[in-house]
Amino acid sequence: MRLGRRTSGLLAAAAIAAALPLATPSTAQAAPPTESCNIEHQARIVFWAVACAQPGEPVIGAFATWRNEPITFTQTDSSGTTVQAGNYLTMTPNREGGLFSHYVQIGLHAEKTSATTSTYGPRWTELGDDGGKTKAINQGIGGNTPDRTNHTYMLLRQDAGDQWDVLYDFNHVGTTTDQLPVPRGSANRIDIGLEVMGPQHVNVPPITSRVQYMTENKIWYRADTEDVAQVSSLGTCGQGSYTAPYCFTTQLTGGTKFEQWGAGKPGPNGTAQATNRTVPAAQDLTGEQPDVVNGVNQAQLAKCMATEPERCLETVPGLAACIRTAKVCNTAALPGKPAANQSLPRFETSPADLRSRAAATFDVPARTVKVTAVAHTTTRWEVSSTAPTPGLDPRGRTFDGFKAAYSPTGQLQGACWGQMCR
């Protein structure tokens, strides 16, 4: 198998009214999006293990939760190859534009930055007509630490217009700018699962993602299992000739309802193993913050996040209403509040390393990449190129140039490509 950096010749082809329990959805026509899911996830440099749900009715909200499992990388030189893994919730609001339509994505991203270093943390991405953008999420309890903390990821279409709010741990972290209307009578789609580049260097223990969707009646549902397609573009470990590190482990659970998608990828030494680390307990919030903030009982929310985050909208008083009216619903997950045991790396990447990484990530010649040092609390380096690039969406299209910002540790803080940079 020939692996390397991205190329431009890859395969072409909100709001919540009340805290209501999951209900039985309307009898809409639906079917598993097997063909479109397979076509979109068969590029041979990026590999996926995803479940694609197409409920068969307009979807205006998507919600998922999983733990920060420890994604790890080989301690070897992999220069010239983009090596990364992420677990993402992807909402495609309007599929009328074709297979590779506009989308919004939020999830966990880990990347190998050198032989012995890597970055880890949440981010969200938007693809539009003429480009895209991505932004790191620098908040949350243990968000940048593989400590098995629960986190929630949510996309909600705004009541007015066609744009979507992005929420992480029930706090607002961004809004889209270039999404299309949700069509009436036309199904849109939610994807959940792993995306990997450089699989020979990556070990991902099983990540179990729970997902729900919201329809125009503003009630949350689970998709019918019969309306879910599964893709494992590296093949399933143990089936036929598929072996580590070029295979995925996958499992769809829930009976007639799509309750949970489990996906992992073994490293070069064998089967992906779940960590034995203890799941963090709910924080003791006594004396740290008021009991109720923006109508949300913070102590109950902290307990729910540690135990059953997929049910918090139902069980935590005031949470559903807060998401509708305020940008902060979870004060424990605000920026500048790291976990008690969190230690930040102190190393600083070099311009030469960033030039090489950015050239591989954005598939442009290294000689076109400009690296500039800046003085900022989170951004240390600004990187750019005017060369044609597929951006961070390798689906056969190219755009005019990119701009990116990296932290002192080499973590991507934000990027744009094409006209999204204007």
Side-chain angles (χ1 to χ4, degrees):
M1 182 175 296
R2 184 173 179 266
L3 298 169
R5 67 188 182 94
R6 298 187 180 193
T7 68
S8 58
L10 291 174
L11 177 67
I16 301 170
L20 297 175
L22 296 175
T24 301
S26 60
T27 56
Q29 295 296 317
T34 304
E35 181 178 3
S36 63
C37 189
N38 272 285
I39 291 175
E40 289 187 42
H41 296 106
Q42 288 299 319
R44 306 318 296 177
I45 289 178
V46 185
F47 301 94
W48 289 271
V50 298
C52 302
Q54 185 168 289
E57 53 192 314
V59 173
I60 64 170
F63 171 69
T65 179
W66 60 84
R67 296 189 185 278
N68 271 19
E69 299 291 357
I71 299 170
T72 57
F73 303 95
T74 58
Q75 301 291 290
T76 56
D77 180 24
S78 57
S79 55
T81 300
T82 298
V83 182
Q84 59 189 28
N87 198 72
Y88 299 114
L89 166 70
T90 304
M91 179 75 238
T92 307
N94 187 324
R95 305 199 56 76
E96 294 178 343
L99 286 173
F100 308 125
S101 302
H102 298 218
Y103 70 68
V104 193
Q105 184 180 77
I106 182 174
L108 177 68
H109 177 83
E111 183 173 356
K112 191 175 190 290
T113 56
S114 75
T116 60
T117 61
S118 61
T119 63
Y120 186 99
R123 71 183 190 184
W124 71 275
T125 300
E126 173 184 10
L127 183 71
D129 260 333
D130 299 302
K133 64 183 179 183
T134 190
K135 293 184 179 181
I137 301 172
N138 296 306
Q139 65 182 62
I141 301 172
N144 296 97
T145 306
D147 59 359
R148 301 204 70 222
T149 306
N150 277 323
H151 293 278
T152 66
Y153 307 83
M154 186 178 291
L155 303 169
L156 296 174
R157 195 190 68 178
Q158 295 181 335
D159 278 342
D162 304 315
Q163 301 313 306
W164 293 65
D165 287 325
V166 183
L167 294 89
Y168 174 73
D169 285 352
F170 299 115
N171 290 338
H172 181 273
V173 294
T175 300
T176 66
T177 58
D178 199 25
Q179 294 304 298
L180 300 174
V182 174
R184 297 302 302 265
S186 177
N188 40 27
R189 204 180 81 197
I190 302 172
D191 298 353
I192 190 84
L194 288 179
E195 177 184 312
V196 173
M197 293 183 70
Q200 71 273 35
H201 297 290
V202 184
N203 179 83
V204 185
I207 297 176
T208 53
S209 304
R210 293 176 176 267
V211 63
Q212 299 168 24
Y213 71 92
M214 185 170 67
T215 61
E216 291 177 313
N217 61 9
K218 298 182 180 178
I219 296 178
W220 292 98
Y221 302 104
R222 293 188 181 95
D224 292 334
T225 301
E226 65 181 10
D227 298 330
V228 178
Q230 304 175 47
V231 168
S232 177
S233 62
L234 274 177
T236 301
C237 298
Q239 293 186 6
S241 60
Y242 298 115
T243 59
Y246 301 106
C247 63
F248 286 111
T249 61
T250 62
Q251 185 177 27
L252 184 72
T253 58
T256 60
K257 295 294 180 182
F258 172 23
E259 179 179 305
Q260 182 172 281
W261 173 249
K265 200 211 71 66
N269 296 323
T271 305
Q273 297 292 327
T275 178
N276 291 323
R277 296 182 185 182
T278 302
V279 175
Q283 286 189 319
D284 182 3
L285 303 178
T286 304
E288 291 192 11
Q289 55 192 327
D291 290 337
V292 177
V293 175
N294 290 330
V296 179
N297 186 307
Q298 297 295 302
Q300 290 191 31
L301 177 58
K303 182 178 180 180
C304 182
M305 285 290 293
T307 55
E308 293 184 295
E310 70 275 11
R311 298 194 61 210
C312 292
L313 291 169
E314 304 170 50
T315 61
V316 178
L319 181 59
C322 179
I323 292 173
R324 183 173 70 250
T325 59
K327 292 185 179 296
V328 174
C329 301
N330 183 2
T331 58
L334 289 174
K337 189 179 179 66
N341 62 346
Q342 182 175 351
S343 59
L344 298 177
R346 300 299 179 187
F347 68 88
E348 185 160 337
T349 190
S350 71
D353 288 339
L354 280 181
R355 182 175 289 107
S356 176
R357 280 181 56 204
T361 298
F362 290 92
D363 190 18
V364 299
R367 58 180 171 75
T368 70
V369 177
K370 180 181 179 180
V371 181
T372 305
V374 296
H376 194 276
T377 54
T378 57
T379 299
R380 178 67 176 90
W381 306 99
E382 290 183 351
V383 182
S384 63
S385 173
T386 58
T389 173
L392 299 181
D393 184 71
R395 313 222 180 178
R397 296 183 62 191
T398 57
F399 306 92
D400 293 333
F402 77 90
K403 296 178 182 178
Y406 290 85
S407 73
T409 63
Q411 183 170 21
L412 182 66
Q413 293 296 299
C416 60
W417 53 99
Q419 292 188 16
M420 283 283 200
C421 292
R422 298 176 183 175

